[in-house]
Amino acid sequence: SNHDVARHATRWAEYGASVEDVARLAAAMLLSFEGSVCLYQGEEVGQTETELAFGELTDPRGIRLWPGEKGRDGCRTPMCWDGGWQGGFSTGHPWLPVKPPQLAHNVAAQEGIAGSVLETYREILALRRAAPALHLGKMRFLDLPEPLLAFTRAATGQVLACVFNLSAIPQRLKAGGLGAPLAASRGVALSGGDLEIAANGYGWLPLTGEVVLEA
C-alpha cells in the first residue's frame, strides 16, 4: 500500500491518470479550502516519494522500525532545482540521495511550461489571491457520491462552486445555476444541462442562481 508514504503524488497515484494529474488535483483542492495554506518543498513540482535502501536511511525512526516502517526520509530528499548534479541542490553529496525519479520533477524543466505542475500551482495561487470567495468565503459542502467532491465558498460579491473528480474516471453531473468555469479550471466543461469532469479534473464556477449538482 502507498498509504504509509508522505508525498501525496505517490500516496494517491492509484487514483490518478498520472502522477502529475494527482499533483495538480491536490493543489486545486488544497488552495480551495478554508484556512492557511502550507506547501511542503517539492509539492509544487509534483515530487514523488523516494525509494531508499536501508543503508541510505538517516532517520532514526526508519532505521529502528525497518522494514515495517521506512521512516520519513522518503520525502526529505533534496529539492530538485534542475536536472543536473544532485538536482542543483548541492555541489557535494547531500545527506540523502537524489535519484532519477525525483530528478525528473525539477523546477527548471517546468518553469514557464503551460500546464506543468509548477505553473499550475502559480495559476491557482493567483486565483486564490484574486478571488474573495477563496480567501475569505465560508465552505458549504454539496451532497455528491464518490469520487466527487464539491462545495461552495461565498464572500461579499462572489460565490463559487468548487468541484473535484477524485478519480481517473471521467464523471458527468446534472448541473444548474452555474456560469462558465474560471480560467484556472482543468477538465471541467458545461454542456447543456450537464457538467462534465475529466479524469482528476477540477474547476471553479461562479453561481448564477441556486446551484444544482446531481449525479
Side-chain angles (χ1 to χ4, degrees):
S1 170
N2 282 332
H3 293 175
D4 59 348
V5 303
R7 289 199 178 276
H8 55 239
T10 299
R11 182 171 184 171
W12 304 112
E14 64 187 289
Y15 302 103
S18 71
V19 165
E20 289 74 21
D21 285 324
V22 171
R24 283 186 285 258
L25 175 62
M29 287 193 295
L30 176 63
L31 297 171
S32 296
F33 294 152
E34 286 186 51
S36 300
V37 173
C38 295
L39 303 181
Y40 184 66
Q41 63 90 359
E43 286 179 350
E44 71 276 34
V45 290
Q47 193 55 267
T48 56
E49 192 88 356
T50 304
E51 286 288 335
L52 296 168
F54 178 77
E56 295 172 320
L57 297 182
T58 63
D59 182 12
R61 177 178 171 184
I63 294 170
R64 185 173 68 253
L65 299 177
W66 181 277
E69 185 173 328
K70 297 181 180 180
R72 299 160 289 189
D73 284 337
C75 65
R76 291 175 167 179
T77 50
M79 179 70 183
C80 292
W81 296 102
D82 58 39
W85 172 256
Q86 304 296 1
F89 181 83
S90 171
T91 57
H93 289 274
W95 68 97
L96 289 168
V98 178
K99 298 193 174 187
Q102 286 64 56
L103 201 60
H105 295 89
N106 70 75
V107 174
Q110 299 185 29
E111 187 90 43
I113 305 298
S116 69
V117 177
L118 177 61
E119 295 301 338
T120 296
Y121 264 87
R122 289 172 170 166
E123 183 178 34
I124 302 175
L125 281 165
L127 171 65
R128 182 180 173 94
R129 294 188 191 103
L134 291 184
H135 62 262
L136 296 173
K138 292 296 182 183
M139 295 173 63
R140 181 174 69 85
F141 286 95
L142 303 175
D143 187 14
L144 289 174
E146 296 182 3
L148 296 163
L149 172 68
F151 51 85
T152 60
R153 293 199 63 186
T156 303
Q158 186 181 58
V159 185
L160 293 176
C162 309
V163 184
F164 312 91
N165 179 5
L166 310 184
S167 79
I169 302 171
Q171 304 290 321
R172 181 187 292 264
L173 294 170
K174 295 185 185 303
L178 298 172
L182 300 184
S185 303
R186 183 180 182 91
V188 172
L190 284 169
S191 176
D194 291 338
L195 182 66
E196 298 176 350
I197 315 171
N200 305 129
Y202 52 84
W204 301 269
L205 302 93
L207 269 63
T208 58
E210 184 66 28
V211 63
V212 175
L213 281 176
E214 297 176 349

